[in-house]
C-alpha cells in the first residue's frame, strides 16, 4: 500500500486508473471502517490483491483509495476537533492488511491552501436531526467530500450507514450535482453488546461504555413496536426519550423517519428508519435502525 500525502502526488498516482473505489475517513479506524474498505475492494472489482493478479484473473484493473483527514470544516467551535483521536501508524497497518492500495493523508494546508469560501449548499434536511444540533456540520462534511471526490475521481465511494443522515446527504449531492460515481452504503458494525462501533466510543468511561449499549436496545424496542403495528410514532419517540433520560442520557433526538428522504413518514410508508443521538457524559453517540413494515 502506498501512502500519499499531497494532492499532486495522488493525482499522478491515480492517473490512468480505470476503476477507483474510495473510502473517505477521519482515521482512528475500527472494524466498521475496515468493512467499508472490504466492500470497496469487492465492489471495485480488485479482488485478488494486486493489479496484475486481477488482470490475470480477468477482474479488470481496480484501485482502492482510503483517505484519512480530520476535517476542521465539519466541527463546531465547541466540538472535539482537537481531541479527535489521530492514530495514523496503526491505521496504515490495518489498511495494508485489509488490501487498500493507496492511503491518502492530506495536510490541512494541502486540502485548504486558502480559506474555503466556496461551500456546498445543502437542502433543509441538513439542518434537521444531527444538523439541528451541529450547525454547519453537514455543510463542512459535504464540502470536503466533494473536494475529495474531485481529487480522487472515484467510480464508487463507500460510506457507513451508521452515519445515516450523512449517507443520505452524500447520495443527494451525488445525484443532484450529477457526480459520475456510485455511492454505496455499508451496514453498521456492532460490538457484541450491540453498540455501533465509532471512534468516539473510546471517550466513554467503563460505566458509560456498559450503558452505551442501551441506545441500540432502545432502537430495537422501537422497531419491534413498529413491527407490532404501533401507529403512534410520536408516542414511541416520547417514551424512548423519557426512558433514556431517566437512565442519565441527554437526548438530542429519537425519531422515526422515512428511509427515502428522512422526512416524517406519511401514512402507508413502509420503509422507515429509527434514528437517535444522545449524550452519555461528554460523549455524543448516534445510531439508527432500518425498519421494513410488511405491506
Ligand atoms: O464520516 C466521516 O468520517 C467524515 O464525515 C467524512 C465522510 C470522512 C468526511 O470528513
Amino acid at each position: 500500500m502506498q501512502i500519499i500525502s499531497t494532492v499532486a502526488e495522488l493525482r499522478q498516482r491515480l492517473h490512468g486508473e480505470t476503476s477507483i473505489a474510495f473510502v473517505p475517513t477521519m482515521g482512528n479506524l475500527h472494524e466498521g471502517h475496515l468493512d467499508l474498505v472490504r466492500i470497496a475492494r469487492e465492489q471495485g472489482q480488485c479482488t485478488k490483491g494486486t493489479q496484475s493478479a486481477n488482470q490475470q484473473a480477468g477482474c479488470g484493473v481496480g484501485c482502492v483509495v482510503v483517505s484519512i483527514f480530520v476535517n476542521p470544516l465539519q466541527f463546531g467551535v465547541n466540538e472535539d476537533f482537537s481531541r479527535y483521536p489521530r492514530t495514523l501508524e496503526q491505521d496504515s497497518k490495518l489498511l495494508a492488511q485489509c488490501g487498500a492500495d493507496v492511503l491518502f493523508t492530506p495536510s490541512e494546508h494541502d486540502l485548504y491552501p486558502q480559506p474555503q469560501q466556496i461551500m456546498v449548499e445543502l437542502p433543509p434536511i441538513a439542518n434537521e436531526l444531527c444538523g439541528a444540533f451541529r450547525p454547519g456540520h453537514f455543510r463542512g462534511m459535504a464540502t470536503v467530500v466533494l473536494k475529495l471526490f474531485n481529487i480522487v475521481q472515484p467510480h464508487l465511494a463507500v460510506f457507513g450507514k451508521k452515519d445515516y443522515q450523512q449517507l443520505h446527504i452524500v447520495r443527494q449531492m451525488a445525484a443532484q450535482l450529477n457526480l459520475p460515481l456510485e455511492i454505496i452504503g455499508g451496514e453498521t458494525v456492532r460490538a457484541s453488546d450491540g453498540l455501533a462501533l465509532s471512534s468516539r466510543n473510546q471517550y466513554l468511561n467503563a460505566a458509560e461504555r456498559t450503558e452505551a449499549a442501551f441506545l441500540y436496545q432502545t432502537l430495537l424496542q422501537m422497531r419491534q413496536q413498529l413491527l407490532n403495528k404501533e401507529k403512534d410514532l410520536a408516542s414511541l419517540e416520547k417514551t424512548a426519550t423519557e426512558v433514556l433520560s431517566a437512565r442519565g442520557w441527554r437526548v438530542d433526538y429519537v425519531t422515526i423517519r422515512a428511509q427515502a428522504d428522512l422526512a416524517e413518514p406519511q401514512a402507508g410508508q413502509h420503509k422507515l428508519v429509527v434514528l437517535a443521538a444522545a449524550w452519555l457524559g461528554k460523549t455524543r453517540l448516534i445510531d439508527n435502525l432500518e425498519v421494513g413494515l410488511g405491506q
Side-chain angles (χ1 to χ4, degrees), residues 104-143:
F104 179 46
T105 58
S107 69
E108 202 174 315
H109 181 261
D110 208 40
L111 224 50
Y112 300 118
Q114 47 187 319
Q116 187 71 28
Q117 290 173 337
I118 295 186
M119 308 285 288
V120 178
E121 189 174 344
L122 294 175
I125 188 62
N127 299 321
E128 292 184 34
L129 307 171
C130 282
F133 297 89
R134 304 186 66 191
H137 165 68
F138 287 116
R139 192 170 180 249
M141 178 282 295
T143 302

Side-chain angles (χ1 to χ4, degrees), residues 22-27 33 36 67-72 74-75 84 112 134 137-138 140-142 144-145 148 158-160 163 166 170 199-200:
F22 179 44
V23 183
T25 80
M26 298 204 301
H33 296 109
L36 304 181
S67 65
I68 293 182
F69 179 66
V70 185
N71 173 35
Q74 68 189 74
F75 286 79
Y84 197 85
Y112 300 118
R134 304 186 66 191
H137 165 68
F138 287 116
M141 178 282 295
V144 84
V145 167
L148 289 167
V158 191
F159 291 78
D163 296 297
Q166 168 171 282
V170 170
S199 303
R200 290 189 168 103

Side-chain angles (χ1 to χ4, degrees), residues 121-287:
E121 189 174 344
L122 294 175
I125 188 62
N127 299 321
E128 292 184 34
L129 307 171
C130 282
F133 297 89
R134 304 186 66 191
H137 165 68
F138 287 116
R139 192 170 180 249
M141 178 282 295
T143 302
V144 84
V145 167
L146 184 59
K147 281 168 77 90
L148 289 167
F149 284 171
N150 285 332
I151 293 164
V152 176
Q153 303 195 1
H155 299 86
L156 69 91
V158 191
F159 291 78
K161 281 193 186 179
K162 154 118 185 336
D163 296 297
Y164 208 86
Q165 191 177 7
Q166 168 171 282
L167 174 61
H168 172 76
I169 288 169
V170 170
R171 279 195 202 284
Q172 285 298 306
M173 176 170 77
Q176 294 191 19
L177 296 181
N178 301 84
L179 303 183
L181 83 168
E182 187 187 349
I183 305 292
I184 294 176
E187 294 302 327
T188 301
V189 178
R190 299 182 180 279
S192 54
D193 64 356
L195 176 65
L197 297 192
S198 161
S199 303
R200 290 189 168 103
N201 292 350
Q202 64 195 266
Y203 299 156
L204 300 166
N205 65 30
E208 289 167 348
R209 173 61 191 83
T210 306
E211 174 62 22
F214 193 75
L215 190 60
Y216 181 54
Q217 293 305 321
T218 305
L219 299 183
L220 283 173
Q221 279 166 19
M222 291 178 76
R223 177 166 76 176
Q224 194 51 54
Q225 283 160 316
L226 288 167
L227 292 172
N228 291 347
K229 306 206 183 324
E230 174 58 61
K231 296 277 183 277
D232 187 349
L233 307 192
S235 148
L236 287 182
E237 294 167 353
K238 185 166 173 281
T239 305
T241 303
E242 284 169 0
V243 171
L244 284 163
S245 304
R247 294 173 69 101
W249 293 73
R250 183 156 60 84
V251 179
D252 278 354
Y253 63 83
V254 178
T255 186
I256 300 161
R257 297 289 174 112
Q259 284 178 29
D261 53 8
L262 297 186
E264 286 175 17
Q266 304 295 311
Q269 260 183 317
H270 299 295
K271 289 188 165 189
L272 306 182
V273 54
V274 189
L275 304 121
W279 294 80
L280 265 184
K282 291 191 164 118
T283 308
R284 185 175 190 271
L285 299 176
I286 61 171
D287 202 352

